Amino acid sequence: MKQVNSLVEIVEAVKKDSNGNRVLLNQHETSRSAVTLGDEDTESGTRLHVKAVLDNTLYYSEVFTDDTLYEEANSLIQELKRLAEVELVSEEEIDRLIEK
């Protein structure tokens, strides 16, 4: 599986191949103290962890700490949800796929 450096690369790959792409996605927030937070608990200093796998061919992982980049990532995730079949999965499930 090829690791890409940007969520944009996953979106672009989905746009190029409109044959029912499937994206496995894990996204969760933690505070800088590594305590998992819900949306209503979002605070300054929050980190967004995003992992995505496209059709078992492309893999992406990043931790966002900047609020602007965080919002951009969320916009790209929403675009992915419009373009492809997105399945929310656990971080462990994605980790098992990329270790194969």
Side-chain angles (χ1 to χ4, degrees):
M1 189 174 315
K2 177 184 175 193
Q3 183 166 2
V4 295
N5 297 320
S6 167
L7 196 53
V8 172
E9 292 180 67
I10 299 268
V11 172
E12 292 301 319
V14 167
K15 286 180 179 178
K16 287 181 185 175
D17 181 14
S18 59
N19 295 329
N21 293 298
R22 182 168 175 242
V23 177
L24 301 179
L25 178 70
N26 176 270
Q27 150 185 18
H28 66 277
E29 295 176 357
T30 57
S31 70
R32 291 190 193 267
S33 63
V35 175
T36 300
L37 302 172
D39 290 340
E40 66 278 357
D41 299 324
T42 300
E43 62 184 43
S44 179
T46 298
R47 295 182 294 192
L48 173 67
H49 295 247
V50 176
K51 290 187 179 185
V53 174
L54 171 62
D55 293 329
N56 289 326
T57 59
L58 296 179
Y59 164 68
Y60 168 77
S61 177
E62 189 161 349
V63 176
F64 296 93
T65 56
D66 179 273
D67 289 343
T68 302
L69 295 177
Y70 171 96
E71 291 303 321
E72 289 173 12
N74 275 325
S75 294
L76 289 168
I77 289 168
Q78 294 309 312
E79 185 174 359
L80 269 178
K81 288 179 178 179
R82 287 189 300 275
L83 296 170
E85 176 189 338
V86 174
E87 180 180 348
L88 301 177
V89 298
S90 69
E91 185 175 16
E92 292 78 18
E93 187 171 341
I94 289 181
D95 289 344
R96 279 193 300 271
L97 283 172
I98 62 172
E99 289 173 3
K100 289 184 179 180

